[in-house]
C-alpha cells in the first residue's frame, strides 16, 4: 500500500548555485539555463547604470563571458550565485561608464587643443546672423496669425498639431497660416 504523502515528487529544478557549479565544470547546458534564469536581472541592472541599450547589451555579454570563465571562483559559502553575478554586472557597468567618460574627456581635451577659429568660420557666422536678421524682418511683414504659427513651428519646434492646440484653432487653419506665411516669406526674401 502506498501512502499518499509519500508520492514520488518530480525532482526540483537546479538552484542558481547548482548551475554555477556545473558551469565551472564546463557544462554548456547549465550555462544556458543560468543565462535564461538571470539575464533579465543582469540586463536590467546594467541598463539602469549604463542607460544606452546597445552598450548595455555589450556589457551583459561581457558579464556572462566572465561568469563562464570565473565560475570556479564562486563560493556558495560567501553568498548567493545571483548576488555574485549581479556584483560582476554592476562592476562591469561602472567600468563602462568610467571608460566612456574618460574617452569623452580625452576627446574634448584633444578638440580644444586642435580648435582654431578661422576667418571662414567668422564669415559664415556673420552671414548667418545677417540672413537671420533678414528673415526676422520679413517675418514682421506677415499677419500676426501667420507670425505666431511660423514662430511656434519653426522657432519653437512644435508640430502643427501642437501649434493648433496652443493657439486653440483647427490643424487645417494652422497649416494654411504656415503655408501662406511661408509663400509670403519666400516672395519677400526673393527665394526661388
Amino acid at each position: 500500500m502506498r501512502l499518499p504523502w509519500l508520492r514520488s515528487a518530480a525532482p526540483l529544478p537546479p538552484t542558481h548555485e547548482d548551475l554555477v557549479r556545473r558551469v565551472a565544470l564546463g557544462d554548456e547546458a547549465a550555462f544556458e539555463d543560468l543565462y535564461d534564469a538571470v539575464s533579465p536581472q543582469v540586463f536590467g541592472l546594467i541598463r539602469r547604470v549604463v542607460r544606452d541599450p546597445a552598450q548595455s547589451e555589450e556589457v551583459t555579454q561581457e558579464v556572462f563571458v566572465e561568469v563562464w570563465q570565473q565560475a570556479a571562483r564562486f563560493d556558495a559559502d560567501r553568498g548567493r550565485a545571483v548576488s555574485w553575478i549581479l556584483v560582476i554586472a554592476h562592476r562591469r557597468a561602472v567600468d563602462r561608464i568610467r571608460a566612456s567618460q574618460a574617452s569623452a574627456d580625452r576627446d574634448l581635451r584633444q578638440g580644444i587643443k586642435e580648435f582654431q577659429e578661422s576667418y571662414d568660420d567668422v564669415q559664415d557666422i556673420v552671414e548667418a546672423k545677417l540672413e537671420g536678421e533678414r528673415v526676422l524682418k520679413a517675418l514682421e511683414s506677415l499677419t500676426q496669425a501667420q507670425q505666431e504659427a511660423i514662430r511656434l513651428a519653426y522657432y519653437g519646434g512644435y508640430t502643427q498639431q501642437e501649434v493648433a492646440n496652443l493657439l486653440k484653432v483647427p490643424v487645417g487653419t494652422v497649416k494654411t497660416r504656415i503655408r501662406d506665411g511661408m509663400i509670403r516669406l519666400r516672395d519677400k526674401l526673393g527665394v526661388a
Side-chain angles (χ1 to χ4, degrees):
M1 173 171 126
R2 285 190 80 157
L3 300 174
W5 59 86
L6 290 177
R7 285 187 212 154
S8 64
L12 295 174
T15 65
H16 297 132
E17 289 73 19
D18 295 334
L19 292 172
V20 171
R21 281 188 212 97
R22 288 174 40 204
V23 168
L25 298 172
D27 185 339
E28 292 179 13
F31 182 72
E32 186 176 332
D33 291 343
L34 182 65
Y35 179 87
D36 290 342
V38 299
S39 64
Q41 277 182 283
V42 170
F43 180 76
L45 170 67
I46 293 169
R47 182 77 164 81
R48 282 191 299 278
V49 174
V50 175
R51 296 215 165 97
D52 178 71
Q55 285 196 29
S56 297
E57 289 172 4
E58 285 180 27
V59 174
T60 300
Q61 183 177 357
E62 292 171 9
V63 167
F64 280 99
V65 168
E66 186 171 341
V67 167
W68 175 260
Q69 294 171 341
Q70 303 297 326
R73 291 188 177 186
F74 171 68
D75 181 1
D77 294 333
R78 295 181 62 200
R80 295 178 34 228
V82 173
S83 299
W84 177 70
I85 294 170
L86 291 176
V87 166
I88 293 171
H90 187 263
R91 191 181 72 238
R92 286 279 182 159
V94 170
D95 288 348
R96 177 60 63 101
I97 293 296
R98 287 179 180 153
S100 294
Q101 186 61 48
S103 176
D105 291 347
R106 199 170 31 254
D107 291 346
L108 179 62
R109 283 192 304 273
Q110 188 62 31
I112 289 171
K113 287 179 187 174
E114 294 174 359
F115 177 75
Q116 293 179 353
E117 193 167 9
S118 69
Y119 291 112
D120 292 339
D121 292 339
V122 172
Q123 181 180 354
D124 291 343
I125 291 169
V126 169
E127 286 176 4
K129 185 169 176 58
L130 291 174
E131 188 65 26
E133 289 172 1
R134 273 187 66 220
V135 169
L136 288 175
K137 187 171 183 172
L139 194 58
E140 291 172 1
S141 71
L142 303 179
T143 67
Q144 186 64 30
Q146 290 170 339
Q147 283 183 39
E148 269 185 318
I150 289 174
R151 285 182 195 274
L152 288 170
Y154 288 94
Y155 292 110
Y158 293 101
T159 65
Q160 291 176 341
Q161 180 64 52
E162 291 169 332
V163 172
N165 292 341
L166 288 168
L167 298 178
K168 296 181 179 22
V169 297
V171 176
T173 302
V174 168
K175 289 180 179 182
T176 301
R177 289 177 183 176
I178 291 173
R179 186 195 70 229
D180 291 349
M182 294 303 285
I183 290 170
R184 286 182 62 187
L185 281 175
R186 183 185 66 207
D187 293 344
K188 188 84 170 167
L189 295 170
V191 177

